[in-house]
Amino acid sequence: MNSTYWSRYWRARLRRRTFLAASGVAALGAAGLTVGCGDDDDNEQGGATATPAAGTQPAGSPTAAPAGKRGGTMRVAKAAPDTGLDPHIVVTNPIHPAKAYSHLWTYQASTKTVCYDLGLEHEQVDPLTLRVKIRQGVKFQADVANGRELTAEDVAYSYTRFPVALTKGSQVNQIQWGWIDKIETPDKYTVVIKQKNPFASNVIALGSSAFAVVAKEVVEANGGDLMRVMNAGSGPYRMVKREPTGTRYERNPDYFQHDPASPTYVKEGPYIDVWEESIIPDPATVKAKFLAGELDVLTVVNIDRLVADELAREKGVKVVKGPANGHLIMQFDNFKWTDKRLRQAIWMAIDRDAFIKNLYLGEGLYGGPTASEFAKEGYGLSQEELKKLQAFNPGDAKKLWQEAGGPQTFPVIKMVTMQAIPIFATATEFVKKQLEQNLGAKVEVEVVDPATYVARAVAGFAEKAPKPWDLFIAWELSLQTIPDYNALAHYVPVGYGAIFGNLRPDSPKSETAAFAGRMQQLWSAQAQELNPEARKQKVQELVRVIHQEYGPAVPLPVPEFQYAAFRDRVKNYPEKDFMYANAGTGLFRVQNLWLDA
């Protein structure tokens, strides 16, 4: 360990902690990559066999390993148990739909390539018709639907589950699937998707981990959902253990070959035999295990510039850096924040430069709300324009707050957060202190576990009721499968705007209903625009309206860069796509990864 580095590292941490303490922010770390990933202690020949217990299934025998690549156990960690296993309802742990299920394809963002999985080819016949050919001979796992062949009917059934899943509290929002009108199956291996409207990102959306293909028999046998079902698909791995300490996936011995192969889907893949993920909520423990060589990929731990610098000096560790692509927003409960002046006061009371300096160590950008890499392509606004639109003005903010009756409408501003993703808790505390200092508001923060956090987010949706909170910070990653506007998910009703923010056209609040209708109209206009240049202009118009109306959510600063760290025994790590965690070109659905024993 480099002592000179450590003294410099802790001096920097101490300076940041001093600032955070002065501003009321706990030193919880900067941006976390995502909830999920995994770990466990295991050997490289396949790991310890899971002890039969509740939630454990007998394992199949992995296929013999070709020399040099096939075999071994990938060991990863996650901070908390997954909150469910149904890929059409819950997406808090991307490893499960990536391992237990197959998809039509994934999308490689770095090369803008469709990587076929179940699919063989696709054709946009006309703006409202997408035709897909799927592979023949693909089988469900041996203990799923008696291992029968997967056909086009299974694809159709899986994708028409989404509206029903939504009634069960699904986190898979309508941006991903709402464009689908109906699905036809003219033969066993042809899927024809009839669209309600043109949708520029339909092919990319179908690459989402949510579009897993499930077996109807298993769904129906389990009361209509798969929340507790370990295996219901044809994926490359079978979940054989799900316990409070972690989960284990073993290679499906009957997994189909990708012939012809496509990027990331090699013919004889996947190479790795076993994935073990341990639940370790303490980042320090995760980091220690990683440095000791007991974990292969560093998760749970926030990797900022200082941590990346430290890790790069460690023997046997590789660190890669890429442009960050997430977004951080603070959601209004739009049933309550109907006065535009109150929303404006919140926007103007937050010092975003201080946020970037102290939470991201200076490596941050103003939130778009479209993700920064796509804004650079024209699907959003420049940093210069965003800085003008999100100017910090505490004097005017406090004046607006008083004039609009903020102290009376919100005698206490309630916020909810969790610590499983450090940036949530850190950003919430930062905003809390900013609002207290710059508005004179009283703010209370409730810290909850991940399952409660999700429940708080969707609370009241079915009843059209106010939220049990007033402001709610979230980081959306699941829509990185739709690169050109993923960060807008929280700003439109068909995204998370209605589910999380009560932004709904059927709102009992007339102001909210009108605002929701306008946002939906603007979003639909850009989504249905098939000319890229014209679409960019429409996205920019939408983003400007968000800023002019100071809502329906507050874009917060985002990291400029994202770092990943892994042991050097991990080969073919997706260095150009790791930041697209759920896009299918992130870590979990790449099948040409292999371990050097």
Side-chain angles (χ1 to χ4, degrees), residues 63-112:
T63 307
K69 289 188 177 181
R70 175 71 57 73
T73 296
M74 176 73 85
R75 305 157 303 171
V76 287
K78 62 181 179 180
D82 50 61
T83 55
L85 296 176
D86 194 319
H88 302 149
I89 297 177
V90 178
V91 291
T92 53
N93 181 10
I95 194 172
H96 188 67
K99 297 305 176 198
Y101 296 97
S102 300
H103 303 72
L104 288 180
W105 50 68
T106 61
Y107 180 73
Q108 191 173 61
S110 62
T111 61
K112 303 188 186 307

Side-chain angles (χ1 to χ4, degrees), residues 329-342:
I329 65 99
M330 184 165 67
Q331 188 75 66
F332 290 116
D333 178 352
N334 286 283
F335 279 5
K336 303 172 186 176
W337 297 87
T338 54
D339 191 320
K340 177 180 175 179
R341 295 172 297 172
L342 294 178

Side-chain angles (χ1 to χ4, degrees), residues 45-46 49 57-65 70-72 141-143 236-238 240 248-255 270-274:
Q45 281 69 46
T49 302
Q57 294 186 358
S61 301
T63 307
R70 175 71 57 73
Q141 295 175 5
D143 56 350
Y237 295 89
R238 298 174 58 254
V240 298
R248 177 182 173 96
Y249 296 82
E250 296 187 356
R251 194 176 187 278
N252 173 14
D254 301 316
Y255 188 57
Y271 293 138
I272 296 170
D273 278 345
V274 177

Side-chain angles (χ1 to χ4, degrees), residues 274-455:
V274 177
W275 283 68
E276 287 270 4
E277 54 176 358
S278 291
I279 298 168
I280 310 176
D282 177 40
T285 301
V286 173
K287 184 178 176 183
K289 283 180 171 287
F290 175 75
L291 292 176
E294 298 173 15
L295 298 175
D296 294 306
V297 179
L298 184 60
T299 59
V300 179
V301 176
N302 166 62
I303 308 178
D304 60 20
R305 174 170 47 82
L306 290 176
V307 174
D309 185 29
E310 169 209 346
L311 293 171
R313 299 169 184 267
E314 293 289 331
K315 183 179 180 180
V317 172
K318 292 189 176 181
V319 178
V320 292
K321 174 182 178 181
N325 197 48
H327 73 283
L328 190 68
I329 65 99
M330 184 165 67
Q331 188 75 66
F332 290 116
D333 178 352
N334 286 283
F335 279 5
K336 303 172 186 176
W337 297 87
T338 54
D339 191 320
K340 177 180 175 179
R341 295 172 297 172
L342 294 178
R343 300 195 302 268
Q344 183 178 1
I346 296 294
W347 277 50
M348 297 172 68
I350 299 171
D351 186 346
R352 291 168 174 81
D353 289 332
F355 190 112
I356 290 170
K357 178 181 179 181
N358 295 284
L359 274 68
Y360 299 146
L361 302 181
E363 290 189 337
L365 299 169
Y366 276 54
T370 50
S372 58
E373 284 304 292
F374 308 128
K376 292 176 183 177
E377 297 178 8
Y379 295 100
L381 306 181
S382 68
Q383 283 293 295
E384 291 73 18
E385 185 171 358
L386 289 174
K387 289 179 180 180
K388 292 178 182 177
L389 292 171
Q390 299 177 23
F392 175 52
N393 192 327
D396 285 356
K398 189 167 187 178
K399 182 179 179 182
L400 280 168
W401 184 253
Q402 295 293 334
E403 290 177 350
Q408 292 74 44
T409 305
F410 297 99
V412 177
I413 297 175
K414 297 179 180 179
M415 301 183 72
V416 178
T417 193
M418 67 169 174
Q419 292 184 338
I421 300 181
I423 187 60
F424 285 7
T426 310
T428 298
E429 287 298 320
F430 182 91
V431 169
K432 173 183 185 291
K433 192 62 179 179
Q434 292 276 291
L435 300 184
E436 289 174 339
Q437 288 180 341
N438 300 322
L439 298 181
K442 181 178 180 181
V443 183
E444 292 181 354
V445 175
E446 178 187 18
V447 181
V448 299
D449 61 87
T452 304
Y453 175 86
V454 172

